[in-house]
Amino acid sequence: MSILSKLFNTPEKNEGLILGRHSNYHLSERQDLAWNNAIDQYGNGDYLACFRNLMEFLKQEGDRTNIVYTETDKQLEFTLFQGSVKVTGKHTVDKLEVQAKLAKARELPEKMMLRLLSKNHEFEYVKYALNDANEILLILNPGLADAKPNVILRGLRELATQADKLDDLISSDFEKVDIMETAHVLEKEHATKKANTKFLKNQIKELYKDLEDQKEIYDYLEFTKIYRIFNLVYATDFLLTPQGQIMETLEIMHRELHNPEGKLADKIEYFEQALTKLCNQEDHLLEKELYEVFYTFNLTPKITVSTLKEIIDNERQQLLWYKENGQNKIVHNMVGYIFGYCLFNYTLPDPVKMLIQFYYKCLFPEYFKELDDNPFVTNEGTLIKKSIKNEINKLIKSTKWSEAKIKSSGRIELDYNNLTTFACSLLDTIYELDFIEYDD
């Protein structure tokens, strides 16, 4: 087995299909111990030992290794992975050097150089650099070698997360630039890529058909178009975990939605144009941005119990009105929007993510059939109560549930009568969950 195969060996799927971007909400006892040791060693002035324990703290549990390091008496060399980039570095007794190679430029267009230089002021701990081989780098402030552990972590996080965002964008925006060091990126299976692209294109087409067929109600209740559109946007991000321009398109749409300026009608027109552009792309171009990566740092802050409740409360009164007035499709879209908003903006405990995934399995059954996953819906559109209950019981008995220290007001009892009652009862169930919280 190759070194990369060992590093990225995927564990057996004994707990079902897990989708969405990497999240590391809960800490193991080993990580807690490593963090406490780092604090102690910083206090004793042993900065190299402090950094070694930070590496142990960042190392994820499981069979995939996101960090590799070697140590001698006087220095520690390491590699960590964040999405599509590899971050390498060396910590000596009095110096910390860290870099991420983003791309290699065959030419150096003035437009590109000005763009990179203009972005340097946006960073707190890192900056762009260009070496003699015309390689574009992000480098970390070397003065962090003796910084407090939490400051070093913030610097590493900024470098890793920004590099992961920027490498694909640089290569796509400028023709004579090539991505570097992507050997750790895992190609999705061909059948999975096909299922991903089919889902994206079919769901966009179905969106437009739905908006046309239900034009009267969507025009009368204009904001319900937002629930319909972003139920799809957020679901696409969770189910496909796209990279590059697809990911950037979804993020721009999200930012524009929450931009207080601009008219709703203009925003909706923009969203529809952005989705149409994705839908019209050739499959092989979309598939280039559908690959699997591993993360050291979460992309989003960890959600709190109170924040989760607040998000649901903000939409619940309207949701009940639509339910009572028989607007079932709008209810499905609103619940999907609430779940998707949480997944897009926050890191959730794995059990909460899995419960939301169960909803998506009911909402998009054809997609999960393409993935050959255990079906939750019959060909006639009826929920398969036994299958859903079995998966929920497996989740409750799993280590993911116990590690999150999930508490609820009672047994999980859902209403399987139809998709609308199931959606609302699942939303209520997640609202009542309590779980241990960790700061970022």
Side-chain angles (χ1 to χ4, degrees):
M1 182 181 289
S2 70
I3 293 176
L4 285 176
S5 297
K6 291 179 181 178
L7 288 179
F8 299 100
N9 182 35
T10 303
E12 294 183 5
K13 296 181 180 180
N14 56 2
E15 292 188 354
L17 184 69
I18 300 178
L19 302 174
R21 301 190 185 280
H22 162 78
S23 60
N24 181 37
Y25 194 100
H26 295 99
L27 303 178
S28 66
E29 292 183 5
R30 178 192 60 79
Q31 288 173 302
D32 278 331
L33 178 61
W35 176 256
N36 291 331
N37 287 340
I39 297 295
D40 290 342
Q41 286 151 352
Y42 173 79
N44 295 330
D46 191 347
Y47 304 126
L48 187 58
C50 170
F51 191 81
R52 182 206 320 122
N53 275 285
L54 287 182
M55 294 291 99
E56 284 297 318
F57 171 75
L58 290 174
K59 188 182 292 185
Q60 309 293 352
E61 303 296 339
D63 295 333
R64 284 185 173 184
T65 303
N66 63 306
I67 288 180
V68 181
Y69 68 88
T70 58
E71 185 181 11
T72 64
D73 290 341
K74 295 184 179 180
Q75 72 177 33
L76 182 152
E77 295 185 10
F78 70 94
T79 299
L80 69 81
F81 302 96
Q82 178 74 18
S84 58
V85 300
K86 180 172 72 173
V87 177
T88 59
K90 178 171 66 176
H91 194 304
T92 62
V93 175
D94 57 1
K95 190 175 182 180
L96 175 61
E97 299 174 348
V98 188
Q99 68 174 25
K101 293 182 178 181
L102 303 182
K104 183 179 177 66
R106 282 169 275 145
E107 290 185 7
L108 297 174
E110 182 179 355
K111 182 179 178 181
M112 181 182 73
M113 300 306 295
L114 289 174
R115 175 175 168 181
L116 299 184
L117 288 172
S118 68
K119 287 187 70 68
N120 268 342
H121 76 277
E122 299 176 11
F123 303 136
E124 184 176 1
Y125 299 101
V126 303
K127 63 179 180 180
Y128 280 107
L130 188 71
N131 63 18
D132 294 338
N134 277 0
E135 294 172 344
I136 302 168
L137 318 173
L138 269 186
I139 60 175
L140 188 66
N141 179 355
L144 294 183
D146 58 354
K148 292 181 179 180
N150 62 315
V151 175
I152 293 178
L153 285 185
R154 288 202 297 269
L156 290 174
R157 180 196 297 272
E158 182 178 76
L159 186 144
T161 55
Q162 290 295 329
D164 182 39
K165 285 184 178 181
L166 295 166
D167 63 338
D168 284 332
L169 296 180
I170 290 173
S171 67
S172 62
D173 288 352
F174 300 100
E175 291 183 0
K176 297 186 178 181
V177 174
D178 302 315
I179 289 292
M180 301 182 63
E181 298 189 338
T182 58
H184 62 284
V185 170
L186 302 177
E187 285 293 326
K188 288 184 178 182
E189 293 182 0
H190 180 70
T192 302
K193 285 187 176 183
K194 289 298 181 186
N196 288 171
T197 54
K198 183 178 179 181
F199 172 85
L200 179 60
K201 292 193 171 187
N202 284 354
Q203 288 300 321
I204 292 174
K205 292 174 183 176
E206 190 172 316
L207 165 68
Y208 292 137
K209 183 177 184 302
D210 185 36
L211 292 178
E212 182 61 33
D213 291 347
Q214 305 291 322
K215 188 176 187 301
E216 184 176 351
I217 187 67
Y218 282 123
D219 286 347
Y220 178 63
L221 301 168
E222 189 177 26
F223 199 79
T224 58
K225 289 184 181 180
I226 293 297
Y227 294 127
R228 180 64 180 90
I229 293 170
F230 278 84
N231 175 30
L232 174 56
V233 168
Y234 294 145
T236 299
D237 185 74
F238 180 71
L239 299 177
L240 276 58
T241 56
Q243 311 298 322
Q245 284 294 340
I246 301 178
M247 182 181 179
E248 180 72 2
T249 296
L250 302 182
E251 289 185 346
I252 291 173
M253 291 177 68
H254 168 77
R255 290 196 296 270
E256 181 59 27
L257 173 62
H258 297 281
N259 179 356
E261 298 181 359
K263 295 179 180 179
L264 180 61
D266 293 338
K267 292 188 178 191
I268 290 173
E269 182 180 356
Y270 166 75
F271 299 147
E272 292 178 352
Q273 290 173 353
L275 291 173
T276 298
K277 186 176 180 180
L278 283 180
C279 189
N280 290 338
Q281 280 198 47
E282 295 182 26
D283 286 2
H284 74 277
L285 295 176
L286 294 173
E287 289 175 9
K288 284 176 61 178
E289 298 177 344
L290 297 170
Y291 49 84
E292 295 182 359
V293 292
F294 196 64
Y295 294 93
T296 295
F297 297 98
N298 296 325
L299 300 181
T300 49
K302 295 175 181 177
I303 201 166
T304 63
V305 174
S306 60
T307 297
L308 181 57
K309 289 181 183 296
E310 181 181 355
I311 292 170
I312 296 174
D313 279 334
N314 286 341
E315 307 292 344
R316 179 173 276 177
Q317 187 172 355
Q318 293 184 75
L319 177 67
L320 292 176
W321 186 91
Y322 292 123
K323 181 184 178 184
E324 291 168 358
N325 285 272
Q327 298 296 333
N328 291 333
K329 283 191 175 182
I330 296 177
V331 171
H332 305 163
N333 293 329
M334 285 191 70
V335 173
Y337 170 87
I338 294 167
F339 288 156
Y341 179 88
C342 292
L343 291 166
F344 197 88
N345 289 280
Y346 298 96
T347 294
L348 276 61
D350 279 337
V352 181
K353 281 178 60 178
M354 290 297 294
L355 289 172
I356 293 174
Q357 182 174 311
F358 295 160
Y359 178 65
Y360 282 133
K361 286 185 67 172
C362 297
L363 193 60
F364 304 111
E366 294 301 322
Y367 175 69
F368 284 88
K369 287 179 184 177
E370 293 278 342
L371 298 179
D372 198 28
D373 198 29
N374 177 34
F376 278 6
V377 180
T378 67
N379 292 334
E380 293 73 33
T382 304
L383 298 183
I384 306 175
K385 178 179 178 180
K386 183 177 179 181
S387 295
I388 302 173
K389 290 190 72 172
N390 284 343
E391 290 300 315
I392 289 177
N393 289 334
K394 283 170 58 178
L395 175 62
I396 292 173
K397 294 175 183 177
S398 71
T399 55
K400 293 182 182 297
W401 192 272
S402 58
E403 287 172 354
K405 296 181 172 59
I406 295 286
K407 297 177 183 177
S408 61
S409 56
R411 294 181 60 188
I412 292 183
E413 296 291 347
L414 301 175
D415 188 334
Y416 300 92
N417 186 52
N418 54 57
L419 182 57
T420 302
T421 59
F422 176 75
C424 293
S425 63
L426 183 61
L427 185 68
D428 291 340
T429 294
I430 290 177
Y431 183 88
E432 295 298 332
L433 292 181
D434 192 11
F435 48 86
I436 188 170
E437 298 177 355
Y438 285 95
D439 294 330
D440 280 307

